[in-house]
Amino acid sequence: MNQLKKWGIKSEFLRAVNDAEALSSPYDKLRIEHIDFEEIDGPVKIIFMTPEKLNRSKEARVKLDAENLLGRLKRFVIDEAHIVSEWGHSFRPCYLELQKLRELYKDVPIMALTATATDGVIHHVIKKLKMSKDSIVFISELDRSNLFYKVIQN
């Protein structure tokens, strides 16, 4: 988010209100009321929020609905989208609820991102999120030179 702000792109992250809440329930205790979508220096362009926030916060949904009615809701980007299909939804069940985005916001495009998806997972994510069967899929090499393993003896 810091890089986005350096580039002049207003962005916000909906985070826990305080450390105690973050420790007790990191996915539930998020807030939205501090975001003013139309601040003096221009509207917020990107809002980062968890699937839990989207699914459980009435305030978040009300604000997203209002932005959508004004034509300012341009895209949903779902990170770690493989969780919709794989084992992840056993500990992040709200990922499965993201399929409701298509019903609630019919004309808002959905972009699903993941670094770990087989062909089967890709097709399952497209189906679960009710994305177009003609969705464009970008696949890159699994070799990521910026990541490495280091073994340290105790």
Side-chain angles (χ1 to χ4, degrees):
M1 220 168 73
N2 290 335
Q3 189 62 45
L4 290 171
K5 289 183 178 184
K6 284 180 187 176
W7 291 336
I9 300 171
K10 277 193 67 148
S11 56
E12 293 285 345
F13 175 69
L14 306 182
R15 63 179 63 87
V17 176
N18 61 46
D19 290 340
E21 287 181 351
L23 292 172
S24 67
S25 182
Y27 302 119
D28 289 337
K29 305 294 185 180
L30 301 169
R31 55 181 270 192
I32 191 167
E33 53 279 351
H34 75 283
I35 292 181
D36 181 359
F37 286 96
E38 282 296 326
E39 294 179 7
I40 294 170
D41 58 342
V44 172
K45 297 291 186 187
I46 299 175
I47 300 170
F48 296 90
M49 76 173 78
T50 65
E52 290 80 7
K53 179 64 172 177
L54 181 63
N55 286 304
R56 295 181 185 155
S57 170
K58 184 176 180 179
E59 295 86 5
R61 290 284 286 283
V62 166
K63 287 203 177 205
L64 289 175
D65 289 347
E67 291 301 300
N68 190 44
L69 287 173
L70 293 170
R72 295 191 299 222
L73 189 56
K74 300 297 184 187
R75 178 175 327 280
F76 286 102
V77 179
I78 300 169
D79 195 19
E80 305 295 343
H82 61 276
I83 294 174
V84 170
S85 177
E86 294 184 322
W87 50 267
H89 57 256
S90 64
F91 72 94
R92 301 280 305 270
C94 281
Y95 265 84
L96 290 177
E97 297 298 314
L98 292 174
Q99 61 189 321
K100 292 179 183 174
L101 290 174
R102 180 56 57 229
E103 298 161 21
L104 296 169
Y105 308 100
K106 290 178 178 28
D107 298 323
V108 179
I110 296 174
M111 179 186 291
L113 306 172
T114 182
T116 55
T118 62
D119 286 340
V121 169
I122 291 169
H123 294 294
H124 194 235
V125 167
I126 290 170
K127 180 180 177 184
K128 281 299 213 184
L129 295 177
K130 300 177 183 174
M131 298 169 70
S132 168
K133 293 177 183 174
D134 298 328
S135 294
I136 299 171
V137 177
F138 296 95
I139 300 174
S140 66
E141 295 291 325
L142 290 177
D143 179 28
R144 300 187 40 205
S145 60
N146 61 326
L147 301 178
F148 63 92
Y149 290 103
K150 184 176 182 179
V151 179
I152 301 174
Q153 186 174 5
N154 285 340

